[in-house]
Every structure is written in structure tokens, then in C-alpha cells.
Amino acid sequence: MPRKFEYTTLAHRYTARFPLITYVGTQVNFWILANILLVVIVHLYGRIISEMHAIPMDGELGTFVLVASIMGLVYGLGLGLTTYYLEQKVFRKLSSGKVLLYKTLISLGLLLLVLTFLRLVLFDVFISPMFNMAGVSFSDRSWDHLFQLFLIYYFFMTLVISFINQVNKKYGPGVLVPLLLGRYRTPQEEERIFMFMDLKSSTLTAERLGHLKYSAFIRDCFADINEVLYPFCAQVYQYVGDEIVITWPETEGLRNSFCIRFYFAVKAKFDERASYYQSNYGLLPMFKAGLHMGKVTAVEIGEVKKDIAYHGDTLNTAARIQSVCNQFQKDFLASEHLINKVAAQSSLKTEHLGSVLLRGKAERVGIVSVLEVY
């Protein structure tokens, strides 16, 4: 893989392997930096007041930074662990308003805990000795003002950090930094694998369930597919109606045959949740898929709504391969070009369907039905 894509690839691998550590570690780093920023601002403001009124001011910035780092560690660790497990178990079933309310209450509770820790432990251990004030403590009014300061600051920093988290979640691990550096402002060529997955018999299913229940059905299907993404280093490119487009950098998709195994892992996930789907919808979701690999260009597009778009014949071919699944009465079709690369490292049970002239293409493409992977 070209060197410029190493950061994104490594970030995605690490997130897939250690999702909890990645999530909590990100929150800890954000809050340590946020607290250090606050300490630097307060320290500089104190220096200004000291110079203006000729008031002696002791204390090294490094000690304040240490205190800020400890507070950021405690707050980020508590918030990260709490929200991670709640998002996995509770938040996904609640409305956005309730999620926001619960997160606000959790943040407020943790802030009170951090300030109590600062008042009872850090102040006596670090701050008081630094100013040669052993045995001296702030008044209750001083602590009230400090709490108000933290409350206002943490509120706005929570908005900033939540925004960064949402942007990172939208684009996936390791994409935000290259995006901020402007890597995708001009088209970049990449070698990628694309899988187009479409719900089978979607029209009949929609008529049977009705549009509201059908939307809930699609939502649950995509939620289950999303749970399979990280173990197979897969990324969601787009949701289009009842279709989901999955992508991998070429080396990631071919590694351990992830691009093939992913489809069967999704089927296994649906089988595992069969009782849920049968009791709520009376049917089990089945998706057909088309898979292909090749060169594409990635570029940042849009002004009102920005996104990273992929262009190239690779996407068109993958979509066309998926479109002939019904014609061959198969669930999972892939290009012969891709299968030849995967077969070199995995044992596959396949059926060659010959060269097919896909709609909109001038040349025939070798198509293979993938039945099983070992």
C-alpha cells in the first residue's frame, strides 16, 4: 500500500482489534488536552494580574499541567468507559433527546467527582505545597466559583469533542486527520475493494411489512451489519435505500480473505438473531452481494454537505455484478479477477459462471459464485 495511506490503515486495524481501548483512549487524550488548555489560559491570566498589580505569584506551569493531566485522565476514563458501554447496551434504543439528557447527567456527575478529587486530594498534594500554603484551603465561595468555571468550560469543550467524535464516526477511523490536512481536496488514486449488498425481495418485504415497519427492519439489518465491520476491517461507504456499500483498501480486504469472509459473517449474524427478526418482523433478512476490486479515485466533494466520494469503473462493475445475482439465482457473486487473488491464500468453494457482458460495459467480466470459504 502506498505510504500516504498507512495512517488510515493502521488506525482502522487498531480500532478493529481494540475498540474499547481506542474509544476510551481517544476520550482521555481529548480531555487531557482540554484541561491543559484551560490551565495554560488561567496561568497566563494570573501572570497578567500579577504584573498589573505587582502581586507576587509563585508556582510552575509544569505542576499545573500535571494536575490538569490527572484530572483529564480521571474524567476521560470515567466518561469513556461509561458512554462506551451505554452506547453498546442502552443508547442505541433511545431517542437522541434522551441520549443527550443522559450524557449530560453523566458528565455533570463525573465533573462533581473530578472536582471533589481535586479538592480533597490534588489540592493538598500538589497545589498547596507549590504555593507554600500548607494547611490553607480555599473558601467555599472560591470552590463554588471554580465549579462554575469548570461547568461552563466543560460544557463548551463537550460540544467540541462530541463534534469531533461524530465527524470521526461518520468518516471512520483514521480518515479525519488526512481530511483536515486536505489530502482529499484533490483526487487521490487508491486500490480498493467494493461490495454492494442489497436486500433480497425488498419490494415484497416492504409491501408485507408496511413502510414504517420496513424502515425499522432495514435499520436493524444495517445495525447488525455494522457490528461485523470492525472484525473484518470493513468500512461503510454509503447507505442507499435498502442497499449498503462496503469498502476495503485492497491489502486489508485481501488479508485473511476478509472481503469474502465478511459476507458469510453477516449471514451468521442474521442467523444468530433469527429469533429476534422472526418475532418482530416474521422473516429473516437475506442480502445478495456483488464484489470487485480495482483502482478508484477518492476526492472531497460538496459545499453545503461535504463528503468523500469514490469514482471509477470499479464501483460500476461491483454494482453491476450484484445486479445479476437474480439472473443467476445466486446470493454472492464476485469478479474472477478478485477471486484469483483471494484463492491464493484461502480455500473457497466456488462456481464459475463464465464471462458476462454486464449492463453498460463494453467488455465481458468473469463472474464467480462464492458458496463457502474455509
Side-chain angles (χ1 to χ4, degrees):
M1 175 174 289
R3 185 174 180 78
K4 61 184 177 182
F5 297 119
E6 284 183 0
Y7 170 76
T8 301
T9 301
L10 290 175
H12 204 276
R13 282 186 186 179
Y14 192 83
T15 303
R17 191 173 179 182
F18 308 106
L20 174 61
I21 295 176
T22 302
Y23 182 85
V24 175
T26 301
Q27 306 313 305
V28 168
N29 289 332
F30 278 150
W31 283 108
I32 288 177
L33 291 176
N35 281 349
I36 291 176
L37 175 61
L38 176 61
V39 161
V40 171
I41 293 173
V42 172
H43 181 76
L44 292 176
Y45 179 75
R47 288 293 183 185
I48 293 172
I49 298 300
S50 174
E51 294 294 334
M52 289 177 61
H53 299 282
I55 301 173
M57 180 179 175
D58 295 325
E60 295 295 331
L61 178 60
T63 305
F64 284 114
V65 170
L66 176 60
V67 173
S69 299
I70 295 174
M71 291 179 61
L73 175 64
V74 173
Y75 187 81
L77 193 62
L79 186 65
L81 287 171
T82 304
T83 54
Y84 179 84
Y85 283 110
L86 287 177
E87 284 181 355
Q88 298 292 317
K89 305 295 183 180
V90 180
F91 285 167
R92 65 172 57 185
K93 302 176 182 178
L94 301 178
S95 65
S96 298
K98 288 184 178 180
V99 170
L100 180 61
L101 175 61
Y102 290 146
K103 284 188 175 181
T104 301
L105 294 175
I106 292 170
S107 299
L108 182 60
L110 287 171
L111 179 57
L112 289 171
L113 178 64
V114 168
L115 287 178
T116 301
F117 180 65
L118 172 65
R119 185 173 184 175
L120 299 180
V121 179
L122 297 182
F123 184 84
D124 291 334
V125 174
F126 292 103
I127 300 176
S128 182
M130 181 175 59
F131 289 107
N132 296 316
M133 298 189 306
V136 178
S137 61
F138 285 178
S139 67
D140 290 339
R141 287 180 61 86
S142 299
W143 285 110
D144 289 341
H145 292 319
L146 185 62
F147 173 74
Q148 293 167 11
L149 171 64
F150 270 87
L151 188 63
I152 295 171
Y153 181 75
Y154 270 46
F155 172 75
F156 284 102
M157 288 309 299
T158 297
L159 294 180
V160 173
I161 293 173
S162 295
F163 172 75
I164 295 174
N165 286 333
Q166 288 302 315
V167 173
N168 192 49
K169 184 179 289 187
K170 172 180 172 58
Y171 291 111
V175 178
L176 181 58
V177 171
L179 191 67
L180 292 175
L181 295 176
R183 176 165 295 164
Y184 297 104
R185 293 299 293 176
T186 57
Q188 303 291 321
E189 189 175 76
E190 300 184 25
E191 294 281 349
R192 278 194 167 264
I193 299 170
F194 283 88
M195 174 184 287
F196 283 71
M197 296 182 66
D198 189 39
L199 183 68
K200 294 182 66 175
S201 306
S202 56
T203 302
L204 292 176
T205 303
E207 291 177 353
R208 175 179 172 181
L209 296 178
H211 66 281
L212 291 177
K213 202 167 186 178
Y214 179 71
S215 293
F217 176 70
I218 294 297
R219 176 204 62 201
D220 288 343
C221 289
F222 287 169
D224 284 338
I225 292 174
N226 272 252
E227 289 194 8
V228 185
L229 293 172
Y230 278 157
F232 294 90
C233 296
Q235 306 165 22
V236 174
Y237 172 43
Q238 285 180 337
Y239 300 100
V240 185
D242 51 22
E243 181 180 69
I244 181 172
V245 184
I246 308 296
T247 183
W248 295 262
E250 181 184 302
T251 54
E252 291 298 277
L254 294 178
R255 186 167 62 94
N256 297 325
S257 306
F258 279 159
C259 62
I260 299 292
R261 296 180 186 277
F262 173 79
Y263 177 80
F264 295 101
V266 169
K267 288 186 66 176
K269 182 66 176 180
F270 289 147
D271 290 339
E272 176 187 325
R273 298 252 294 161
S275 59
Y276 170 83
Y277 283 103
Q278 289 292 350
S279 61
N280 286 274
Y281 305 107
L283 56 92
L284 186 65
M286 296 182 64
F287 279 77
K288 54 188 178 181
L291 189 67
H292 185 51
M293 64 179 289
K295 293 187 183 209
V296 296
T297 54
V299 64
E300 184 180 338
I301 60 171
E303 294 299 330
V304 176
K305 181 182 181 301
K306 290 186 178 292
D307 207 345
I308 296 176
Y310 294 102
H311 303 120
D313 184 64
T314 300
L315 284 92
N316 296 329
T317 301
R320 296 292 183 262
I321 291 174
Q322 185 265 116
S323 69
V324 298
C325 283
N326 289 343
Q327 175 184 332
F328 290 99
Q329 297 183 336
K330 302 294 183 182
D331 291 338
F332 185 15
L333 299 179
S335 65
E336 189 173 14
H337 169 63
L338 183 146
I339 292 299
N340 288 338
K341 293 203 170 187
V342 174
Q345 53 182 301
S346 293
S347 298
L348 304 174
K349 183 178 180 181
T350 60
E351 178 184 350
H352 288 261
L353 304 177
S355 296
V356 179
L357 185 61
L358 300 172
R359 180 167 56 90
K361 295 188 67 66
E363 298 182 359
R364 291 179 175 271
V365 176
I367 303 295
V368 177
S369 172
V370 184
L371 306 176
E372 196 173 354
V373 59
Y374 304 100

